[in-house]
Amino acid sequence: MTRPIFKKAHIAAGESGLHRLVGWVHVLEITNISPYLSSGDLILSTGLWLKSEQERKNYLLQLIQSDAAGLCVELGTSIDSIPADILELADAHSFPIIVFDKPVRFVEITQDIHSYIINRQHQLLKDLETYSRKVQQLTLQSTDVSSILRLLHEYSSHQVAYISSLEHNRFYPSMEPDTASSIAEVYSREIVHRDLGSQESNVLTVLDEDTSVLFQPVVIFGQVFSAVGIVSREQPAEAVSLLLDYTVKAVATLLLRTQFLEEKMLRNQNGILQDLLNNRIHNEEQAQTSMGLRLLVKGHYLFMGGVLEIEHRATNTAEEQKEAGRQDIMVLLRSLLKKNNVPHLVMMKMNQLHVLCAKEYLTKDTERNLMHTLQTITEDIGHFAENQLDGVVVHAGFGKVRNKMIESSASFEEAYQVIEVSRSVARLKGCLFYDKLGVYQLLKAAPYRFLQSFVQDHLGELIQYDQEHELQLMVTLKAYMNAFGSKLETAKVLYIHRQTLYNRLDKLDELLGEDWLTPHRRTSIEMALLAHDMLQNSR
């Protein structure tokens, strides 16, 4: 309205909507205008559509529903005034109607505003380029995000919030503690666990009736570790969103660099874990101190050891690329553990990551919560490897929880067994915890030759007969056991006729003895079947 071309114009209605942004200007005189409208359009008209009461309401509603910026009407060509019902409708929707009391040249209006918009866009691009260069310089000078956040505040003229799962939160300029706490709660509730694959990167959240926050997550290895937010009393302009995008990319670069620098500093943990694996640390207080844990006057910690085995299935991957992938997984593992407030030690040994986790025992749910956290972290690492690393598969296992850190070597031994069993037994694919192995704990603990002998004693004759006659008696036996002796269910699972099943069961009676379903024999045969599967798949 301050443009020279609008000096002879006035606001006839919708004055409370003057904050609307104008994206483009064009003329529309037809009544069916929806197909030709875009958000932010400023429409010029001589008011031909105002002559019909029904048409004029439809026309204005189409503008309002399409989120147009406003309407300019020229008087003296087609109409001499604007009906009161149209002015009332515009006021009700805060939709600006600008009136020119005398005819004007529409071409002069479009030229003026379009030139203004294009020049502003050009200046915006220049400012963004300058901002980008300054941000790049700051990332080369320091690993501290503070200077970048201050620069964003300077360029956007808005309150800046930085909320992080890895370090303390920051606000430029400083904020009232209650407001800062509310912003941090929004991050915890809506940002940190969001599905990045199915949603927009920016999140606009209403903090209260006067304030909103435009958040953009900082993503590393496909995980949200922090977010930069613009706090405003109105919806931030497109320029602010672009500044935010440049800022977030720079912050992600700094965080990633910081994590790799920490990785180098933390390599002395290898020695601590190696000593634990070899049972060379015998003093519990010394062990906990070396992990950086505060000594508890009351209560105790829970410790859980685990192993992540990194398998490279691609045959043409260079050794340098494999090493880079392993380093990425280790940095991601540390970052996720830190994000979830799990004290830890991590050591890389060949293609295996050894991790020892600690958690202060607070309630009976502490162990279950720790296992849930490790399950989630392991799944996130598996997704990262699958989507970002060529031909890499991560196998993971965790031993039982211990109350003493010096007993963690046993937890690592159990973790190895979890990986071996879950890789060789189909029904346990994805099993992470030793406690969930069930009877396989016993089978895995038995010597290999003993298991071979046990299988031969109870199933040897049946296996040999199957090899010679291909009657699938082993498959039938497993299905029959799994169906708890239901002939109907067994036939259905095997896709065979009932009479065929009866013939096979008769043959099982002949080879195994008619007492094979008595409790003692049945238990032995079920154990032998499990052992047979495990031995077959572990070859």
Side-chain angles (χ1 to χ4, degrees):
M1 294 303 295
T2 60
R3 305 294 296 168
I5 198 75
F6 282 82
K7 277 187 177 180
K8 295 182 180 180
H10 67 274
I11 304 294
E15 192 162 359
S16 58
L18 290 182
H19 62 277
R20 293 171 180 257
L21 296 177
V22 177
W24 206 242
V25 183
H26 58 103
V27 181
L28 279 177
E29 298 287 12
I30 60 174
T31 54
N32 182 26
I33 58 176
S34 292
Y36 310 101
L37 284 173
S38 299
S39 176
D41 283 352
L42 179 63
I43 303 304
L44 307 178
S45 173
T46 61
L48 282 171
W49 48 274
L50 284 165
K51 294 182 178 180
S52 166
E53 182 176 352
Q54 185 59 41
E55 284 186 351
R56 67 193 184 210
K57 284 189 176 180
N58 287 339
Y59 185 97
L60 191 62
L61 285 173
Q62 289 177 76
L63 290 174
I64 293 169
Q65 291 165 3
S66 298
D67 198 26
L71 171 68
C72 298
V73 181
E74 173 193 79
L75 302 183
T77 303
S78 300
I79 58 167
D80 295 321
S81 64
I82 298 178
D85 60 333
I86 291 299
L87 297 178
E88 290 174 5
L89 183 60
D91 277 329
H93 291 86
S94 299
F95 183 79
I97 293 182
I98 302 169
V99 172
F100 289 90
D101 293 314
K102 295 181 179 180
V104 292
R105 286 167 54 85
F106 282 170
V107 66
E108 292 179 0
I109 296 176
T110 56
Q111 285 178 345
D112 179 71
I113 298 181
H114 288 171
S115 297
Y116 178 71
I117 291 173
I118 291 170
N119 289 335
R120 281 195 62 183
Q121 190 69 19
H122 179 68
Q123 186 60 46
L124 171 62
L125 293 175
K126 287 178 64 177
D127 291 344
L128 285 173
E129 185 179 352
T130 303
Y131 181 78
S132 176
R133 285 200 303 269
K134 288 185 177 181
V135 165
Q136 289 177 7
Q137 290 171 358
L138 291 175
T139 58
L140 295 174
Q141 293 169 3
S142 171
T143 57
D144 186 9
V145 301
S146 301
S147 55
I148 292 177
L149 300 175
R150 280 193 289 267
L151 185 66
L152 175 61
H153 168 63
E154 176 187 332
Y155 266 73
S156 68
S157 301
H158 284 291
Q159 170 76 54
V160 175
Y162 175 67
I163 312 299
S164 174
S165 303
L166 301 177
E167 51 188 336
H168 64 277
N169 302 331
R170 306 177 198 191
F171 301 90
Y172 294 98
S174 58
M175 300 185 71
E176 291 293 327
D178 289 346
T179 307
S181 178
S182 298
I183 294 174
E185 287 177 11
V186 170
Y187 168 81
S188 300
R189 186 176 66 248
E190 301 186 24
I191 309 297
V192 72
H193 298 301
R194 64 191 270 102
D195 180 3
L196 298 173
S198 61
Q199 302 180 51
E200 295 293 329
S201 58
N202 286 353
V203 182
L204 182 63
T205 301
V206 177
L207 203 60
D208 54 46
E209 59 182 14
D210 297 322
T211 311
S212 62
V213 184
L214 179 65
F215 267 122
Q216 182 160 335
V218 178
V219 181
I220 303 174
F221 297 131
Q223 297 289 320
V224 177
F225 287 104
S226 59
V228 181
I230 292 291
V231 185
S232 175
R233 293 189 176 276
E234 57 190 32
Q235 182 168 340
E238 180 186 2
V240 174
S241 297
L242 294 171
L243 289 171
L244 193 59
D245 187 57
Y246 280 106
T247 304
V248 163
K249 290 175 181 175
V251 171
T253 300
L254 289 186
L255 286 183
L256 191 58
R257 187 193 308 164
T258 301
Q259 295 306 306
F260 275 104
L261 288 174
E262 285 185 8
E263 190 60 44
K264 291 182 178 179
M265 295 168 58
L266 293 170
R267 292 211 174 147
N268 65 334
Q269 293 184 1
N270 287 15
I272 301 170
L273 273 176
Q274 197 64 58
D275 286 344
L276 288 170
L277 285 170
N278 295 320
N279 294 306
R280 289 198 290 259
I281 300 179
H282 306 289
N283 183 286
E284 181 65 20
E285 184 175 319
Q286 175 194 347
Q288 292 188 18
T289 302
S290 68
M291 193 175 181
L293 299 175
R294 63 184 181 88
L295 298 179
L296 302 176
V297 178
K298 293 182 179 180
H300 64 278
Y301 289 100
L302 300 181
F303 297 93
M304 179 178 283
V307 176
L308 277 68
E309 189 172 277
I310 303 168
E311 179 185 356
H312 296 273
R313 292 183 175 177
T315 56
N316 57 347
T317 306
E319 191 57 41
E320 295 81 2
Q321 189 176 347
K322 291 181 181 179
E323 177 62 24
R326 290 192 287 264
Q327 287 296 326
D328 286 349
I329 290 174
M330 182 156 67
V331 170
L332 177 58
L333 173 61
R334 283 195 196 277
S335 301
L336 289 172
L337 289 167
K338 187 175 180 181
K339 176 180 177 180
N340 286 278
N341 299 311
V342 179
H344 59 276
L345 298 174
V346 177
M347 175 183 72
M348 174 78 77
K349 190 175 182 181
M350 302 297 288
N351 68 324
Q352 290 181 333
L353 278 172
H354 293 73
V355 54
L356 179 63
C357 304
K359 204 71 176 174
E360 184 179 352
Y361 182 83
L362 299 174
T363 69
K364 61 181 180 180
D365 292 328
T366 300
E367 180 177 344
R368 184 174 60 187
N369 292 338
L370 176 60
M371 293 173 72
H372 175 73
T373 298
L374 293 176
Q375 176 95 34
T376 302
I377 288 174
T378 305
E379 288 173 358
D380 288 340
I381 290 173
H383 293 322
F384 167 73
E386 180 182 354
N387 297 324
Q388 302 295 329
L389 303 176
D390 185 29
V392 173
V393 177
V394 178
H395 308 280
F398 293 89
K400 292 196 295 185
V401 165
R402 260 71 182 185
N403 293 331
K404 291 185 177 180
M405 184 175 167
I406 57 176
E407 297 173 351
S408 54
S409 61
S411 196
F412 285 111
E413 288 296 330
E414 291 160 354
Y416 296 138
Q417 294 180 37
V418 173
I419 292 176
E420 290 178 25
V421 173
S422 65
R423 294 179 71 169
S424 60
V425 180
R427 73 180 70 181
L428 290 176
K429 290 294 183 188
C431 176
L432 290 179
F433 302 102
Y434 186 76
D435 288 340
K436 306 297 183 183
L437 290 183
V439 71
Y440 288 98
Q441 294 178 359
L442 180 62
L443 294 175
K444 192 61 188 174
Y448 186 85
R449 288 186 178 180
F450 171 81
L451 283 183
Q452 283 184 314
S453 176
F454 183 77
V455 171
Q456 184 62 32
D457 290 344
H458 294 280
L459 297 174
E461 192 173 348
L462 181 59
I463 293 170
Q464 183 178 350
Y465 190 90
D466 243 2
Q467 291 171 346
E468 293 173 355
H469 298 88
E470 297 183 359
L471 280 184
Q472 294 187 316
L473 294 180
M474 283 286 287
V475 174
T476 303
L477 177 61
K478 290 178 194 174
Y480 191 64
M481 291 289 198
N482 291 336
F484 302 101
S486 169
K487 297 180 176 64
L488 177 63
E489 188 65 28
T490 304
K492 188 185 299 185
V493 169
L494 295 176
Y495 299 101
I496 60 175
H497 194 272
R498 291 277 291 275
Q499 188 58 49
T500 304
L501 175 63
Y502 296 153
N503 294 337
R504 291 186 186 178
L505 291 177
D506 289 341
K507 181 55 69 173
L508 288 175
D509 286 342
E510 179 184 328
L511 295 171
L512 297 175
E514 294 185 357
D515 66 338
W516 67 277
L517 284 176
T518 58
H520 174 70
R521 286 294 314 282
R522 178 190 175 100
T523 301
S524 300
I525 289 171
E526 285 181 328
M527 292 283 285
L529 284 171
L530 296 177
H532 178 260
D533 281 349
M534 193 173 73
L535 293 173
Q536 288 292 105
N537 294 318
S538 62
R539 287 178 177 176

